Amino acid sequence: MSGRAEVPVIAIDGPVGSGKGTIARRVAEALGWHLLDSGALYRLVALAAANRGVALDDVDQLVALAANLDARFGSDAAGNEQIWLEGEDATAAIRTEEAGAGASTVAVLQPVRDALFQLQRDFRQPPGLVADGRDMGTHVFTDATLKVFLTASAEERAKRRHKQLKDKGIDVSLAALSRDIEERDRRDSERSVAPLRPAEDARVLDSSGMSIEAVVATVLDWAG
Ligand code: DC
């Protein structure tokens, strides 16, 4: 392999609760490829800001945090994801709704996105990368081999997210979650920088009513 650009990338973008995190992980496992959870990077910036008392509108400080993000990704013996921020286990902390909302807030700032751009591209390593996010196909990996825009009905996304959080012992009401999801969808799609939308050459997959296995099989089939 002579250059990064030749390393294949499957970009999986979509809104909150579309299941893209699970699907991306399963597809990466099936292919034996690397995985980039780009949302985790935005969550880590928000968390680092909270830890250091940096306001979510202090662009200079946020850019400094993003540019020097000391993050490590791995998994425990059972294969569950583990994420460290500045040497501290941040696995649970970045998955809270608060961190998600903070991520969505810092993600509207173009300088923060710029600071994370190269870090994301560095994940492109042989034999291949599955990249999960909002702008993988539209900005970060515009030359991806396959671009999937994964979605599902708003109701189903709220329910899935509710179950996901409950399984992690995080208790939030479904109504509050639906409101949060709508708010986050709106902010992510209406922002002027890198808004959430399918790339022109993306294949759109509505996973409402589909099993995880069926969605994974579809993506693998498209990947050829
Ligand atoms: O996928 P997630 O819920 O972990 O993402 C958290 C937030 O980060 C999301 O609301 C928008 C932002 N984000 C982004 O702007 N671009 C990405 N590629 C990934 C996430």
Side-chain angles (χ1 to χ4, degrees), residues 12-17 20-21 36-43 94-95 97 99-108 113 116 120 132-136 140 161 184-185 187-188 191 193-196:
I12 304 184
D13 290 305
V16 182
K20 64 193 160 49
L36 165 62
D37 171 2
S38 61
L41 299 179
Y42 290 91
R43 287 169 181 265
I94 65 156
R95 295 298 164 205
E97 286 306 291
S104 168
T105 304
V106 300
V108 304
R113 305 196 71 84
L116 292 177
Q120 295 174 82
D132 146 22
R134 300 291 188 293
D135 64 341
M136 299 296 96
V140 182
R161 191 82 182 133
R184 198 123 69 91
D185 275 357
R187 196 164 37 210
D188 293 347
R191 70 184 179 210
V193 291
L196 174 66

